[in-house]
Amino acid sequence: MPWVSYLPSLAQGAFVTAWITLAAIAIGAVLAFVAGIARVEGGRAVSTLALCYTELFRGTSLLVQLFWFYYALPLIGISFEPVATGILVLALHVGAYGSEIVRGALASVSVQQHEAARALNFGRLHTLIHITLPQAIIEMLPAFGNLAIETLKLSSLVSLISIADLTFRAQSIRNLTLDSAGVYTLTLLGYFAMSLVLMLVMRLIERLARRGAAFPRAAHS
């Protein structure tokens, strides 16, 4: 079967896709927590800044963001390698959408628990770390799982800035062989396999969290 000869190149592209996706999710998760907590616990200035970031990256096209960072930003003297650009833009995307997940989960913790914390003379930071966050994280995980899979699928856009990811390599093979059916069938299967693995990992983390294995304090709050 001629399809077998495509696998080594597609596998290399899949590795690049996985690396970019995982790096973007990791960095984006940090941004999501910073912005989400700032929205809830920050002062007016910090909360407004976090809101501006969130709305800017949620309200504009990811593809245009990618082109702006890759083609426009160097015009003012700031440039990144293609892979770094792809990771950065995807991370900002994850952070913007993830911050709303964090904000909503933090807001879902009952007022009574905050009142109890104040009655016990707990400070805001202590309440956030030991009471609010452990419970909110469990509520965030399903939504973060969906966001992670969405990020994997959106990572195909980085092929447009010459990153040799799975989509880029599939298109290159297709241009050489004109075998659209074979190449794109394998590409679809590749994305599906990576999505399945990512989904299983996120569900495992969620299961551990709900059992109190991953976040023991959440089970006793």
Side-chain angles (χ1 to χ4, degrees):
M1 292 178 62
W3 291 13
V4 176
S5 63
Y6 308 154
L7 291 178
S9 180
L10 292 176
Q12 291 176 354
F15 177 81
V16 174
T17 292
W19 158 242
I20 289 174
T21 300
L22 293 176
I25 291 171
I27 297 170
V30 174
L31 293 174
F33 274 90
V34 171
I37 292 172
R39 292 282 308 280
V40 176
E41 298 290 342
R44 173 179 255 176
V46 174
S47 179
T48 300
L49 184 63
L51 177 62
C52 290
Y53 155 65
T54 300
E55 294 305 318
L56 175 63
F57 283 91
R58 277 162 44 94
T60 55
S61 164
L62 179 61
L63 179 59
V64 176
Q65 293 168 20
L66 193 65
F67 285 162
W68 190 87
F69 273 83
Y70 191 67
Y71 294 112
L73 200 57
L75 298 178
I76 59 174
I78 303 174
S79 61
F80 302 97
E81 293 296 322
V83 171
T85 302
I87 292 173
L88 175 61
V89 173
L90 284 171
L92 290 169
H93 173 84
V94 172
Y97 280 87
S99 68
E100 284 297 295
I101 297 172
V102 173
R103 183 192 63 79
L106 291 175
S108 70
V109 177
S110 66
V111 175
Q112 288 81 0
Q113 297 199 48
H114 288 281
E115 292 174 347
R118 283 195 296 270
L120 293 170
N121 203 29
F122 289 167
R124 291 179 65 184
L125 183 60
H126 187 278
T127 302
L128 175 67
I129 294 174
H130 295 283
I131 297 176
T132 310
L133 267 179
Q135 297 175 76
I137 285 174
I138 295 176
E139 300 304 318
M140 296 174 198
L141 286 174
F144 265 115
N146 292 335
L147 181 58
I149 293 172
E150 184 67 18
T151 302
L152 170 64
K153 293 185 289 186
L154 289 173
S155 70
S156 61
L157 293 176
V158 304
S159 64
L160 298 175
I161 57 171
S162 304
I163 295 177
D165 70 331
L166 180 55
T167 299
F168 183 92
R169 288 182 179 271
Q171 185 62 27
S172 298
I173 295 172
R174 186 265 173 194
N175 290 340
L176 290 173
T177 64
L178 301 180
D179 182 10
S180 300
V183 173
Y184 291 129
T185 297
L186 290 176
T187 304
L188 283 174
L189 292 174
Y191 277 107
F192 176 73
M194 287 189 286
S195 295
L196 185 61
V197 170
L198 192 55
M199 179 184 67
L200 292 174
V201 169
M202 293 303 299
R203 286 186 177 177
L204 176 61
I205 293 172
E206 182 183 351
R207 191 176 302 117
L208 291 174
R210 291 191 180 279
R211 288 178 181 175
F215 306 102
R217 292 180 182 178
H220 299 93
S221 57

